[in-house]
Amino acid sequence: MTASDEPGWFPIALRLRGARVLVVGGGGIALNKIRLLLAHAARVEVLAPTLDDALTALRDAGQIHHIAAEARPDQLNAMLPGCRLVYAATDDRAVNRTVAARADALNIPVCAVDDPEPSSFITPAQIHRGPVRIAISTGGAAPVLARRLRERIEAAMPAGLDSLARFLRDARPHVVAHCPDIDRRRRVWEDFLDGPGGAAAQRGDTATARQVLDQLLDGTRTTGEVWLVGAGPGDPDLLTLRALHLMQNADSVLYDQLLPPTLLDRVRRDATRIFVGKQRDRHTMPQPDINAELIRRARAGERVLRLKGGDPFIFGRGGEEIEALVEAGIPFQVVPGITAASGCAAYAGIPLTHRDCAQSCLFVTGHARKDGTLDLPWERMAGAGQTIAIYMGVHALPDLCAMLVRHGLPPDWPAAIIERGTQPDQRVLTGTLDTLPDLARTSGIGSPALILVGEVVRHRVVSPPIG
C-alpha cells in the first residue's frame, strides 16, 4: 500500500473463532495483540526466537502455539498461507515491514504495530463487557489518544453491563414472539432499559427483570422508583459514576437550591425538572410536600430523581424521605455523594484530620432553631485534638464562634470559612474564632459555605502553579 492509503479498521465483529492468526514477536508488544485475539477465540501462532514470561505462560497453558524461529523469508513463506490475519509485533521496524510486505503480497490483512504505512488494517482500542464491544480509533494517527479515550469511556460504563447484554440476548426470542409489531417492540425495549427492569438485569436479578419485561409486554403499568442521589459539593466532576448514570436516565428530577447549573446540565435533557429549593427561612416546597410529590410521581410509573447537594444522609433529610417512601411501598435507591466537609476541605487544601493535631472530625449543622437558638453539643465541640465541620452556619457564625470560646476554646483558635467550595469561584478565608466573623462580614461571604474549626487550618497548603 502507498503512504497516501489509509488502513482500514480491524472489525471487532470479524469471525475469528478457530481462525489461524500469525503474530510475529515474543514480547510485550505481541502480548497486547495476542490477548485481544484470544478474546475472539482465534488460533494464535507466535513466530519468535524466544518468548517473555507472560507469553511463555500462555504457551504452557496451551493457549498459543510457539514457533521458535526468526522471521526469515523462507519461514514466513511457509507459515503465511492460510492465515486470516497477521500481526508484525516486534520492536524492530525493519522486521515488521518485511513481515508486512510478505503478507500483503499474499493478500493477507496485516498490521505492523505502531506503523500505519505498511499496514493494511489497524486495531482500534477496544472495550469488552460480555457481548458488548466498543471500539475507538484515530485511524492510526494517535494510538495513545485512542487508549486514553477508551479508558474514559470504560470508566463511565456502568457495572453489570455484561449481565444486562446477556439478559437482553436471551430474552430477545421471547419478546419477538410476544410482540411482533416492530415499533411497539422498540418501545418495550426502551422502557425496559430505562426503567427498573434494566437496573435489575444489570445487577443480575433476572427474575425481577423478566417480571418487569413481561409486564411491559402485557401493557401492565409498573410502579416507578425514586433515586435519592448525592450530587457532591458542587464540582460536576465529583459526581459518582452511579449518580451520573441515574441523572441521565430519570424521567423527573426534584432538585435543591445549592446545585449549580453546570451540575444540572448533566441531567437528562427531556426530564421534568421541579425546583424544591430550600433557602434560609424560605422553602419553595415544604418537606411533606416533597415527600408527597416523590410518591405521586413514582406511583405514576416515573423514575424520580431526588437530587441533593453533598450526601443525602448528611444534613440532607434523606432519612425522612426514605421513611415516607417505605411507608408508601415505593422502591428506592440511595446513592451517596461527596459531602461538603470532605470536598470543600480538600479543594481548600485543609486536611480534616492530621496526626499532629486532629484525630477525629465532628460534623454539625449551624442552622439555628426558629427562635434563633443554637442547640449544639458545645462541651464536646470545644475540645482539642479534633476538627469541627459546621454546615449551614454562615448567618450564625458570630454566635458559633462566641459559644465555642465561651465553652473553652481560646479566641485565637484557628478557623476557616469556604464559600462555594469546589466551584470555580470558591473563596477561602482563614482566621481565628475571634477574627473570622468580621472577615466573613467584610468580605461578603454568603451561602453555601462551610466552616472549619481546628488546628488543621494551620496546616493548609495550596498547590504551586505548574511551570
Side-chain angles (χ1 to χ4, degrees), residues 16-22 37-38 41-45 63 65 82:
L16 289 177
R17 182 176 295 276
R20 280 186 62 222
V21 178
L22 176 63
L37 293 166
L38 292 176
R43 183 158 57 95
V44 180
E45 298 178 0
Q63 294 184 267
H65 177 62

Side-chain angles (χ1 to χ4, degrees), residues 50 59 73-74 148 189 229 259 265 282 293 376 410 459:
T50 59
R59 181 202 63 193
D74 59 335
R148 288 291 182 267
W189 282 128
V229 173
L259 301 180
D265 287 343
R282 179 165 60 87
E293 184 69 4
L376 295 174
H459 291 272

Side-chain angles (χ1 to χ4, degrees), residues 85-105:
L85 296 174
V86 175
Y87 277 99
T90 75
D91 56 5
D92 187 326
R93 176 166 286 202
V95 171
N96 289 348
R97 290 198 167 197
T98 297
V99 173
R102 292 277 173 173
D104 198 46

Side-chain angles (χ1 to χ4, degrees), residues 9 15 34 79 214 238 241 257 317 400 415 452:
W9 275 29
R15 290 186 180 274
I34 290 170
M79 296 190 63
D214 286 341
L238 295 181
L241 295 177
Q257 174 72 27
R317 304 189 74 170
L400 285 164
L452 294 177

